[in-house]
Amino acid sequence: MKTILITGGAGFIGSHVVRLFVKKYPNCKIVNLDKLTYAGNLANLKDIEDYANYEFVKGDIVDGDFINSLFLRYTFDGVIHLAAESHVDRSIVSPMDFIMTNIVGTVNLLNAAKTMWKDNSEGKKFYHISTDEVYGSLGEEGLFTEETAYDPRSPYSASKASSDHIVRAYFHTYNLPVVISNCSNNYGANQFPEKLLPLCINNIKTLKPLPVYGKGENIRDWLWVEDHAKAIELIFHKGIIGETYNIGGNNEWKNIDLVRSLCRIMDNKLGRIQGESEKLITFVTDRAGHDLRYAIDSSKLQRELGWGPSLQFEEGLEKTVDWYLSNEEWLNNVTSGAYQKYYEVQYGKR
Ligand code: NAD
Ligand code: TYD
């Protein structure tokens, strides 16, 4: 039986990856290592927590001794590393948390994998999950390819870029069998409501202002989270060691247009008069260093491994809204307590 370590499996994307692997590979043991920060939530995995091939371990990737002992306890055949501090706005307020988890934590995992596989790394893989934000900010034209030079501009993206470089260094220096993917913005069920879409869904529902940074002109390329999870499965199995794959939805939206679409969908679902939710849109002070545009060229992944996004955005948005509306308890739980404090600091009392 193979054993795979998935880090950050209680988070947004990680929980979709854990579920996919646990259900699809019953002969594979999946160990989910997560610190359960504010963003980690075991409720995301309620439906699979009793599966025989699933095990949860609570722990911090920044703690090198703990990571080494974990790698001694299990003989991992593969690592899929998603654990990270992931929110740009938080990285502007507290960069050190991002340096520690995203950089030091990644190095701890790399060191442990290097030691564990030193005598035989045949068939093993260390898969590092990264973001398109490492490439910086695009103007009106062009797409990020795997060859685009790194130009991170937020503490979050700089910490992810740094970890990508170190992962590649371990490949070149120590022959560690690594693979990296850089994905665009994900959306879907279980995303913590600090990110644009779930935050707006929650605020539309509760009739709170929808804080749009600047003029809402910034553009993001949105991918349904389950399509990202499928890309991760494919790259984990078929990705060439030492390679990088870009993953994107080919689905660019200006923030303001996206928020307006969401308002229209939710007016319908909530039985409100069309236009009612749009009145909640409030333009607020722009994010410092706000990247203008992200857009991914994922043709390498499509061409070489046969991946493609499965869901049209309109359908995905509807599904996402439906999920949040029918999982009120989940939303209420994650927006109580510490979330209120974060919200006040980030957006002021409203
Ligand atoms: P998330 O914030 O929802 O989840 C992160 C998870 O990591 C949480 O469960 C948290 O508890 C855990 N974690 C944080 N610090 C830890 C530590 N020190 N030790 C162990 N666990 C820790 O993030 P996400 O949106 O699911 O992103 C997952 C990964 O995908 C990240 O590496 C992120 O950079 C990358 N990514 C995210 C997106 C996106 O749109 N969300 C896009 C591209 C890439
Ligand atoms: P976000 O979901 O934080 O993802 P990222 O910064 O990683 O792209 O933000 C998506 C876009 O929405 C980004 O351009 C910033 C913008 N945004 C707002 O306008 N208002 C908000 O309250 C948030 C959280 C984001």
Side-chain angles (χ1 to χ4, degrees):
M1 197 182 198
K2 284 199 167 177
T3 305
I4 297 169
L5 173 67
I6 300 182
T7 71
F12 168 47
I13 302 169
S15 60
H16 289 274
V17 176
V18 166
R19 177 176 301 100
L20 191 161
F21 274 78
V22 166
K23 285 190 163 178
K24 196 159 169 188
Y25 302 102
N27 293 326
C28 218
K29 185 184 179 94
I30 304 300
V31 177
N32 170 15
L33 166 66
D34 200 295
K35 183 182 173 183
L36 299 182
T37 67
Y38 76 92
N41 186 352
L42 287 178
N44 295 349
L45 293 165
K46 264 243 134 325
D47 56 322
I48 56 113
E49 67 185 10
D50 293 330
Y51 278 55
N53 64 332
Y54 172 69
E55 190 176 331
F56 173 70
V57 177
K58 186 171 186 298
D60 188 344
I61 58 170
V62 175
D63 181 346
D65 291 340
F66 162 73
I67 291 297
N68 290 337
S69 68
L70 184 78
F71 277 66
L72 277 177
R73 184 153 31 112
Y74 299 89
T75 326
F76 296 120
D77 297 285
V79 176
I80 306 178
H81 174 37
L82 296 111
E85 288 291 339
S86 69
H87 190 41
V88 173
D89 294 323
R90 289 186 191 252
S91 84
I92 293 168
V93 179
S94 312
M96 192 54 89
D97 295 341
F98 289 69
I99 304 306
M100 295 311 290
T101 287
N102 298 0
I103 306 176
V104 177
T106 301
V107 176
N108 282 335
L109 291 164
L110 287 165
N111 282 338
K114 174 173 156 274
T115 304
M116 185 175 58
W117 298 334
K118 70 178 183 315
D119 295 326
N120 182 11
S121 64
E122 188 65 33
K124 310 290 194 263
K125 199 174 262 177
F126 186 106
Y127 181 4
H128 178 63
I129 307 298
S130 192
T131 167
D132 61 355
E133 304 191 25
V134 298
Y135 297 121
S137 180
L138 288 166
E140 310 263 298
E141 298 288 312
L143 300 172
F144 296 133
T145 73
E146 288 82 0
E147 273 70 50
T148 303
Y150 276 29
D151 184 22
R153 294 155 32 106
S154 75
Y156 164 64
S157 55
S159 67
K160 292 296 289 187
S162 175
S163 62
D164 291 10
H165 286 316
I166 297 168
V167 170
R168 284 194 191 95
Y170 272 63
F171 167 66
H172 291 293
T173 310
Y174 307 113
N175 290 320
L176 193 74
V178 310
V179 68
I180 299 178
S181 61
N182 297 82
C183 189
S184 62
N185 287 59
N186 284 216
Y187 72 95
N190 301 104
Q191 187 169 32
F192 192 79
E194 64 188 350
K195 305 275 167 58
L196 180 68
L197 274 171
L199 185 140
C200 286
I201 292 172
N202 189 34
N203 286 13
I204 292 170
K205 192 177 140 226
T206 52
L207 291 168
K208 278 171 67 179
L210 308 178
V212 174
Y213 295 161
K215 294 183 180 149
E217 298 280 308
N218 304 66
I219 294 171
R220 297 292 182 264
D221 174 359
W222 294 92
L223 178 69
W224 191 42
V225 64
E226 293 188 30
D227 280 334
H228 187 190
K230 283 185 198 147
I232 289 174
E233 179 199 8
L234 193 63
I235 294 168
F236 183 68
H237 291 304
K238 304 260 166 67
I240 309 288
I241 299 297
E243 290 288 317
T244 296
Y245 298 90
N246 278 355
I247 312 170
N250 200 16
N251 177 40
E252 292 180 50
W253 283 76
K254 247 184 208 168
N255 291 339
I256 186 64
D257 295 337
L258 179 56
V259 173
R260 288 203 173 111
S261 287
L262 199 59
C263 289
R264 279 193 290 276
I265 292 174
M266 289 195 63
D267 278 343
N268 269 337
K269 297 212 183 269
L270 297 170
R272 290 184 187 160
I273 300 162
Q274 272 302 329
E276 201 177 331
S277 299
E278 268 199 31
K279 290 189 201 141
L280 299 168
I281 292 176
T282 310
F283 293 98
V284 299
T285 310
D286 209 352
R287 173 186 280 172
H290 196 171
D291 289 340
L292 177 66
R293 176 172 164 255
Y294 304 143
I296 275 274
D297 175 351
S298 61
S299 57
K300 175 178 174 183
L301 181 62
Q302 309 212 9
R303 193 177 55 247
E304 296 185 6
L305 302 188
W307 175 87
S310 71
L311 206 64
Q312 288 299 314
F313 193 48
E314 288 67 18
E315 194 189 340
L317 263 189
E318 294 250 358
K319 266 177 171 257
T320 304
V321 169
D322 287 343
W323 188 86
Y324 283 94
L325 292 181
S326 55
N327 284 274
E328 207 163 45
E329 198 187 329
W330 184 94
L331 197 53
N332 290 342
N333 282 341
V334 299
T335 52
S336 61
Y339 179 82
Q340 300 295 337
K341 227 188 196 129
Y342 163 77
Y343 204 90
E344 268 175 36
V345 173
Q346 180 66 22
Y347 299 102
K349 263 204 179 116
R350 286 168 204 273

